[in-house]
Amino acid sequence: MEENCEIASGVRVRHDGDSGILNEKVLILVFEFMNWDIGTLCSLSAVNCKLRALAKRILWRELCRRRAPRMVSTLTEDSRISGGWQTLAKLLFFCGGCVSTRHFGPSRASPGHFAESSRFSKTSGRSFLPKNCRGDLLFVTDPCEHSTGDEGYDVGIYRGVFRSFKKSRTRECLIRRRVEFETQVRCPYCCARVWSMTAARLIPRRNAARRLGSSDDAVEYFVCLNGHLHGTCWLIPLSSEEEEELDGGYAGAGETYSDLVPIDRG
């Protein structure tokens, strides 16, 4: 196998005689030139089975590594990416939208969409963990604002991912409390079954609400078997001065800029 491999832009690829679009070396160089554009990779993966398999084996992994190197390095310390690289790529770039659930009821659903930019933070993640689970590592985004027309309030939709979820205290707590899986909700990223952290009474509401810009009783999120988090909240309307401060971009309480992982779609 080693004799049939070569290095392209720091990536070990197979050299099996394929030419053009099926040549791994060519594809690596093309996507590097395009800054690993996820929309193009989605289109490529839909062309045929061979390209889909090639993308699954190497391209999704490289997209995640190139576009979020610090986050991926942290997530893969003594651990594998649960759910696969394609799922992680979707979570990095895609806001999953929201529907009405038993604990959160907007008047209409908000469709999912590619996010133009996202900011993941492990310091933010600590605000979503109860005290006895603070040893877990969780990256969470800022909320993506969706207008629903509900009394002037917008819905904030956020997402995140645990490192080594199978070994986490959060999973241990869910299992020890015998929390049942939700019957009407699935993970929007890997379609796995999910636990409601609201039903499990594991949401540190004050910390999570403060981080999201919401009220204590207006936060809900789910965690799936693969450690992907997705949630919703009602966002408190901000004054014009507060909006300008947020637009400028700042680190939250206890948060340093080195902790933030900004990800732009393009």
Side-chain angles (χ1 to χ4, degrees), residues 192-213:
R193 293 180 295 176
V194 301
W195 288 285
S196 166
M197 300 298 278
T198 303
R201 300 180 182 275
L202 286 175
I203 297 179
R205 292 191 174 276
R206 182 173 299 178
N207 290 340
R210 185 183 300 117
R211 177 63 64 171
L212 293 166

Side-chain angles (χ1 to χ4, degrees), residues 203-245:
I203 297 179
R205 292 191 174 276
R206 182 173 299 178
N207 290 340
R210 185 183 300 117
R211 177 63 64 171
L212 293 166
S214 180
S215 57
D216 294 1
D217 60 348
V219 175
E220 179 182 44
Y221 48 92
F222 303 89
V223 176
C224 81
L225 285 165
N226 288 315
H228 305 132
L229 178 150
H230 74 280
T232 50
C233 66
W234 291 113
L235 296 174
I236 297 175
L238 299 177
S239 67
S240 57
E241 291 182 358
E242 289 172 322
E243 288 181 348
E244 289 177 2
E245 189 177 33

Side-chain angles (χ1 to χ4, degrees), residues 114-146:
F114 279 113
E116 290 301 320
S117 63
S118 300
R119 190 177 71 160
F120 286 83
S121 167
K122 56 187 178 183
T123 298
S124 291
R126 285 196 286 272
S127 298
F128 293 81
L129 298 171
K131 288 183 179 180
N132 59 334
C133 299
R134 291 285 170 83
D136 294 345
L137 193 149
L138 169 66
F139 283 95
V140 173
T141 64
D142 295 333
C144 177
E145 297 183 22
H146 288 238

